[in-house]
Coordinates of all heavy atoms in Angstrom, one line a residue:
N1 N 3.6 30.0 60.4 CA 2.3 29.9 59.6 C 2.5 30.9 58.4 O 3.2 31.7 58.3 CB 1.2 30.3 60.5 CG 1.4 31.6 61.2 OD1 2.5 31.9 61.8 ND2 0.4 32.4 61.2
F2 N 1.6 30.5 57.5 CA 1.5 31.5 56.3 C 0.9 32.9 56.8 O -0.1 32.9 57.4 CB 0.6 30.8 55.1 CG 1.1 29.5 54.8 CD1 0.0 28.5 54.7 CD2 2.4 29.2 54.7 CE1 0.6 27.2 54.4 CE2 2.8 27.9 54.3 CZ 1.9 26.9 54.1
V3 N 1.5 33.9 56.1 CA 1.0 35.1 56.6 C 0.6 36.0 55.3 O 1.0 35.7 54.2 CB 2.1 36.0 57.4 CG1 2.4 35.2 58.6 CG2 3.4 36.2 56.4
S4 N -0.2 37.0 55.5 CA -0.6 38.0 54.4 C 0.4 39.1 54.5 O 0.4 39.7 55.5 CB -2.1 38.4 54.6 OG -2.4 39.2 53.6
G5 N 1.0 39.3 53.3 CA 2.0 40.4 53.3 C 3.3 40.0 53.9 O 3.5 38.7 54.3
N6 N 4.3 40.7 53.9 CA 5.7 40.4 54.4 C 5.7 40.1 55.8 O 5.1 40.8 56.6 CB 6.7 41.4 54.0 CG 7.0 41.4 52.4 OD1 6.9 40.5 51.8 ND2 7.3 42.6 52.0
P7 N 6.4 39.1 56.2 CA 6.4 38.6 57.7 C 7.1 39.6 58.5 O 8.1 40.3 58.1 CB 7.0 37.2 57.6 CG 7.9 37.3 56.4 CD 7.1 38.2 55.4
S8 N 6.8 39.6 59.8 CA 7.4 40.6 60.7 C 8.8 39.9 61.0 O 9.1 38.7 61.1 CB 6.5 40.5 62.1 OG 7.3 41.0 63.0
H9 N 9.6 41.0 61.3 CA 11.1 40.5 61.7 C 11.2 40.4 63.1 O 12.4 40.2 63.6 CB 12.0 41.6 61.1 CG 12.2 41.5 59.5 ND1 13.1 42.3 58.9 CD2 11.7 40.7 58.7 CE1 13.0 42.0 57.6 NE2 12.1 41.1 57.4
R10 N 10.2 40.4 63.9 CA 10.2 40.5 65.4 C 10.9 39.2 65.9 O 11.7 39.2 66.8 CB 8.8 40.6 66.0 CG 8.7 40.4 67.5 CD 9.4 41.7 68.1 NE 9.5 41.6 69.6 CZ 8.6 41.9 70.4 NH1 7.5 42.4 70.0 NH2 8.7 41.6 71.6
Y11 N 10.7 38.1 65.3 CA 11.2 36.8 65.8 C 12.7 37.0 65.5 O 13.5 36.5 66.4 CB 10.6 35.6 65.0 CG 11.3 34.3 65.4 CD1 11.1 33.8 66.6 CD2 12.2 33.7 64.5 CE1 11.7 32.6 67.0 CE2 12.7 32.4 64.8 CZ 12.6 32.0 66.0 OH 13.2 30.8 66.5
L12 N 13.2 37.4 64.4 CA 14.6 37.6 64.3 C 15.3 38.4 65.2 O 16.3 38.0 65.8 CB 14.8 38.3 62.8 CG 14.4 37.5 61.5 CD1 14.8 38.4 60.4 CD2 15.2 36.2 61.4
E13 N 14.5 39.4 65.7 CA 15.1 40.4 66.7 C 15.2 39.6 68.0 O 16.1 39.8 68.8 CB 14.3 41.7 66.7 CG 14.4 42.4 65.6 CD 13.2 43.5 65.4 OE1 12.5 43.6 66.3 OE2 13.2 44.1 64.3
D14 N 14.1 38.8 68.3 CA 14.0 38.2 69.6 C 15.2 37.1 69.7 O 15.7 36.8 70.7 CB 12.7 37.3 69.7 CG 11.5 38.3 70.0 OD1 11.8 39.5 70.4 OD2 10.4 37.8 69.9
E15 N 15.7 36.6 68.4 CA 16.8 35.6 68.5 C 18.1 36.3 68.3 O 19.2 35.6 68.1 CB 16.4 34.7 67.3 CG 15.4 33.8 67.5 CD 15.6 32.8 68.7 OE1 16.7 32.3 68.7 OE2 14.7 32.7 69.5
G16 N 18.2 37.7 68.3 CA 19.5 38.3 68.3 C 20.1 38.5 66.7 O 21.2 38.9 66.5
F17 N 19.0 38.5 65.9 CA 19.5 38.7 64.4 C 18.6 39.9 63.9 O 17.8 40.3 64.6 CB 19.1 37.5 63.6 CG 19.8 36.3 64.0 CD1 19.2 35.3 64.7 CD2 21.1 36.1 63.6 CE1 19.9 34.1 65.1 CE2 21.9 34.9 64.1 CZ 21.2 34.0 64.8
S18 N 18.9 40.2 62.7 CA 18.2 41.4 62.0 C 18.0 41.0 60.5 O 18.4 39.9 60.0 CB 19.0 42.7 62.2 OG 20.1 42.6 61.3
A19 N 17.3 41.9 59.9 CA 17.2 41.6 58.4 C 18.4 41.5 57.6 O 18.4 40.9 56.6 CB 16.2 42.8 57.9
A20 N 19.5 42.3 58.1 CA 20.9 42.2 57.6 C 21.4 40.8 57.6 O 22.3 40.6 56.6 CB 21.7 43.3 58.2
D21 N 21.0 39.9 58.5 CA 21.5 38.6 58.5 C 20.8 37.6 57.7 O 21.2 36.5 57.4 CB 21.3 38.1 60.0 CG 22.2 38.9 61.1 OD1 23.3 39.1 60.8 OD2 21.5 39.3 62.0
L22 N 19.7 38.1 56.9 CA 19.0 37.2 56.0 C 19.8 37.1 54.7 O 20.2 37.9 54.2 CB 17.6 37.7 55.8 CG 16.5 37.7 56.9 CD1 15.4 38.5 56.6 CD2 16.2 36.2 57.2
T23 N 19.8 35.8 54.2 CA 20.4 35.5 52.9 C 19.4 34.9 52.0 O 18.9 33.9 52.4 CB 21.6 34.6 53.1 OG1 22.6 35.2 53.8 CG2 22.2 34.2 51.7
P24 N 19.1 35.5 50.8 CA 18.3 34.9 49.9 C 18.8 33.8 49.4 O 20.1 33.7 48.9 CB 18.0 36.0 48.9 CG 19.0 36.9 49.0 CD 19.6 36.9 50.4
V25 N 18.1 32.7 49.0 CA 18.6 31.5 48.4 C 18.0 31.5 46.9 O 17.0 31.5 46.5 CB 17.9 30.1 49.1 CG1 18.3 28.9 48.2 CG2 18.3 30.1 50.5
H26 N 19.1 31.6 46.1 CA 18.8 31.7 44.5 C 18.9 30.2 44.2 O 19.8 29.3 44.5 CB 20.1 32.4 43.9 CG 20.1 33.9 44.2 ND1 19.6 34.8 43.5 CD2 20.5 34.4 45.4 CE1 19.7 35.9 44.1 NE2 20.3 35.9 45.3
A27 N 17.9 29.8 43.3 CA 17.9 28.4 42.8 C 17.2 28.4 41.5 O 16.4 29.2 41.2 CB 17.0 27.6 43.7
E28 N 17.7 27.5 40.7 CA 17.1 27.2 39.3 C 16.3 26.0 39.4 O 16.4 25.2 40.3 CB 18.2 27.0 38.3 CG 19.0 28.2 38.0 CD 18.3 29.4 37.4 OE1 17.4 29.1 36.6 OE2 18.5 30.5 37.8
P29 N 15.3 25.8 38.5 CA 14.5 24.6 38.5 C 15.3 23.4 38.6 O 16.3 23.1 37.9 CB 13.7 24.6 37.2 CG 13.6 26.2 36.9 CD 14.9 26.7 37.4
G30 N 15.0 22.4 39.5 CA 15.6 21.2 39.8 C 16.6 21.3 40.9 O 17.1 20.3 41.4
D31 N 17.0 22.6 41.2 CA 18.0 22.7 42.4 C 17.3 22.2 43.6 O 16.2 22.4 43.9 CB 18.4 24.1 42.6 CG 19.4 24.5 41.4 OD1 19.9 23.7 40.7 OD2 19.7 25.8 41.3
L32 N 18.2 21.5 44.6 CA 17.6 21.2 45.8 C 18.5 21.9 46.9 O 19.7 22.0 46.9 CB 18.0 19.6 46.0 CG 17.5 18.9 47.3 CD1 15.9 18.8 47.2 CD2 18.1 17.6 47.5
V33 N 17.6 22.4 47.9 CA 18.2 23.1 49.1 C 17.9 22.1 50.3 O 16.8 21.7 50.4 CB 17.5 24.4 49.2 CG1 18.0 25.2 50.4 CG2 17.6 25.3 48.0
L34 N 18.9 22.0 51.2 CA 18.7 21.3 52.4 C 18.9 22.2 53.7 O 20.0 23.0 53.4 CB 19.6 20.0 52.4 CG 19.3 19.0 51.5 CD1 19.9 19.1 50.2 CD2 19.9 17.6 52.1
W35 N 18.3 22.0 54.8 CA 18.6 22.8 55.9 C 18.3 22.0 57.2 O 17.5 21.2 57.2 CB 18.1 24.1 55.9 CG 16.5 24.3 55.9 CD1 15.8 24.4 57.0 CD2 15.7 24.3 54.8 NE1 14.5 24.6 56.7 CE2 14.4 24.5 55.4 CE3 15.7 24.2 53.4 CZ2 13.3 24.6 54.6 CZ3 14.8 24.4 52.6 CH2 13.3 24.5 53.2
H36 N 18.9 22.5 58.3 CA 18.8 21.9 59.6 C 17.5 22.3 60.4 O 17.0 23.5 60.0 CB 20.0 22.4 60.4 CG 20.2 21.8 61.8 ND1 19.6 22.2 62.9 CD2 21.0 20.8 62.0 CE1 20.0 21.4 63.8 NE2 20.7 20.5 63.4
V37 N 17.0 21.5 61.1 CA 15.8 21.8 61.8 C 15.8 23.1 62.6 O 14.7 23.8 62.9 CB 15.4 20.7 62.8 CG1 16.4 20.6 64.0 CG2 14.0 20.7 63.2
D38 N 16.9 23.5 62.9 CA 17.0 24.9 63.8 C 17.6 26.1 63.0 O 17.8 27.1 63.6 CB 18.0 24.7 65.0 CG 17.2 23.8 66.1 OD1 16.1 24.0 66.3 OD2 18.0 23.0 66.6
T39 N 17.7 26.0 61.6 CA 17.9 27.0 60.8 C 16.8 28.0 60.7 O 15.7 27.6 60.2 CB 18.3 26.7 59.4 OG1 19.5 25.8 59.5 CG2 18.7 27.7 58.4
I40 N 16.9 29.2 61.0 CA 15.8 30.2 61.0 C 15.7 30.6 59.5 O 16.6 30.8 58.6 CB 16.2 31.5 61.7 CG1 16.2 31.1 63.1 CG2 15.1 32.6 61.4 CD1 16.6 32.3 64.1
H41 N 14.4 30.7 59.0 CA 14.1 30.7 57.6 C 12.6 31.3 57.5 O 11.8 31.1 58.4 CB 14.3 29.5 56.7 CG 13.5 28.4 57.1 ND1 13.6 27.5 58.2 CD2 12.3 27.8 56.4 CE1 12.8 26.7 58.3 NE2 11.8 26.8 57.3
G42 N 12.3 31.7 56.3 CA 10.9 32.2 56.0 C 11.0 32.8 54.6 O 12.0 32.5 53.9
S43 N 10.0 33.4 54.1 CA 10.1 34.1 52.7 C 8.9 35.0 52.8 O 8.0 35.2 53.6 CB 9.6 32.9 51.7 OG 8.2 32.5 51.9
E44 N 9.3 36.1 51.9 CA 8.3 37.2 51.6 C 7.5 37.0 50.4 O 7.5 36.0 49.8 CB 9.3 38.4 51.6 CG 10.0 38.7 53.0 CD 11.0 39.9 53.0 OE1 11.2 40.4 51.8 OE2 11.4 40.3 54.1
T45 N 6.7 38.0 50.0 CA 5.7 37.9 49.0 C 6.4 38.0 47.6 O 7.7 38.3 47.6 CB 4.8 39.0 49.1 OG1 5.5 40.4 49.0 CG2 4.0 39.1 50.4
N46 N 5.7 37.6 46.7 CA 6.3 37.6 45.3 C 6.0 38.9 44.6 O 4.8 39.3 44.2 CB 5.5 36.5 44.4 CG 6.0 36.3 43.0 OD1 6.8 37.2 42.5 ND2 5.6 35.3 42.3
R47 N 7.0 39.8 44.4 CA 6.8 41.2 43.9 C 7.1 41.1 42.4 O 7.2 42.1 41.7 CB 7.8 42.1 44.6 CG 7.6 42.1 46.0 CD 8.5 43.2 46.7 NE 9.8 43.1 46.4 CZ 10.8 42.3 47.1 NH1 10.2 41.6 48.0 NH2 12.1 42.1 46.7
S48 N 7.4 40.0 41.8 CA 7.8 39.8 40.4 C 6.5 39.5 39.5 O 5.5 39.4 40.0 CB 8.8 38.7 40.3 OG 8.2 37.4 40.4

């Protein structure tokens, strides 16, 4: 669900991962990203 502020990393930890395992997806307008139904993902706030 949408959250206010940066999301908790608790779920990552429950799954045996950490913030160090997160990879940001860089994309330009028009780029398409595809992923699997079981790929863990999320996003943080816009600080720019």
Side-chain angles (χ1 to χ4, degrees):
N1 53 311
F2 305 138
V3 297
S4 182
N6 287 333
S8 167
H9 289 181
R10 177 65 188 272
Y11 177 68
L12 295 176
E13 295 162 8
D14 289 347
E15 290 296 312
F17 298 104
S18 70
D21 296 306
L22 291 169
T23 297
V25 178
H26 295 259
E28 293 298 323
D31 286 352
L32 182 71
V33 182
L34 291 85
W35 66 91
H36 190 272
V37 69
D38 286 320
T39 299
I40 296 174
H41 63 286
S43 66
E44 297 179 342
T45 57
N46 184 349
R47 303 183 309 272
S48 75

